[in-house]
Amino acid sequence: MDDVYATAHGRRMIEADAASAALGMRVVRAEPGRAVVRMTVRADMLNGFAVAHGGLVFALADTALALACNETDAVTLVAGADIAFLSPAREGDDLEAVAERRTVEGRSGLYDARVSAGGRVIAEVRGRTRTTGMPRP
């Protein structure tokens, strides 16, 4: 194991994640209950107003949440989330999503993620998770 992934489960999960790879996401740190993921906003990620498409900002937060909530070898999914967009991200911005566990009770959990760029908060996300009985891929 290296200093980026605290568990083999997290490493396997992100290595199989073609969507995050296609968006150029980079995992800075993934450990039980916390993850940091970065992505640079490209021209093909902009909406009609020349700001980062909200769905792609959410995708970054979702990947960080997924890494943070997969604390054991059990497959845990983000079952729902709410996002508040606070400021626009623009082409060339380096976005960073930091996801952290708030609480886990049984198979249910709450995690928060903050997406920021250059000291500005771009979005805040509250994610609800559910540990499944799905086999690991």
Side-chain angles (χ1 to χ4, degrees):
M1 210 49 55
D2 57 32
D3 63 352
V4 174
Y5 298 92
T7 68
H9 180 57
R11 177 188 298 284
R12 283 190 305 270
M13 184 188 78
I14 203 68
E15 285 176 349
D17 186 341
S20 296
L23 293 171
M25 292 184 197
R26 306 169 311 275
V27 178
V28 176
R29 181 80 182 138
E31 59 194 32
R34 188 171 191 280
V36 180
V37 182
R38 293 188 181 140
M39 176 179 79
T40 301
V41 178
R42 304 182 311 233
D44 65 340
M45 296 174 166
L46 303 179
N47 66 20
F49 297 109
V51 299
H53 190 287
L56 300 178
V57 172
F58 179 80
L60 176 64
D62 184 55
T63 295
L65 290 166
L67 283 163
C69 76
N70 276 277
E71 302 187 33
T72 68
D73 282 347
V75 174
T76 302
L77 302 174
V78 177
D82 299 300
I83 187 165
F85 296 102
L86 302 170
S87 65
R90 307 219 182 261
E91 183 177 356
D93 281 350
D94 288 314
L95 303 182
E96 179 176 85
V98 178
E100 297 180 305
R101 174 190 340 104
R102 294 297 169 234
T103 189
V104 173
E105 289 295 329
R107 294 175 41 209
S108 299
L110 287 176
Y111 292 76
D112 289 333
R114 171 175 283 172
V115 178
S116 60
R120 293 179 299 118
V121 176
I122 304 300
E124 292 275 350
V125 179
R126 165 64 51 103
R128 296 170 301 282
T129 66
R130 189 75 170 166
T131 300
T132 74
M134 294 170 49
R136 271 192 328 222

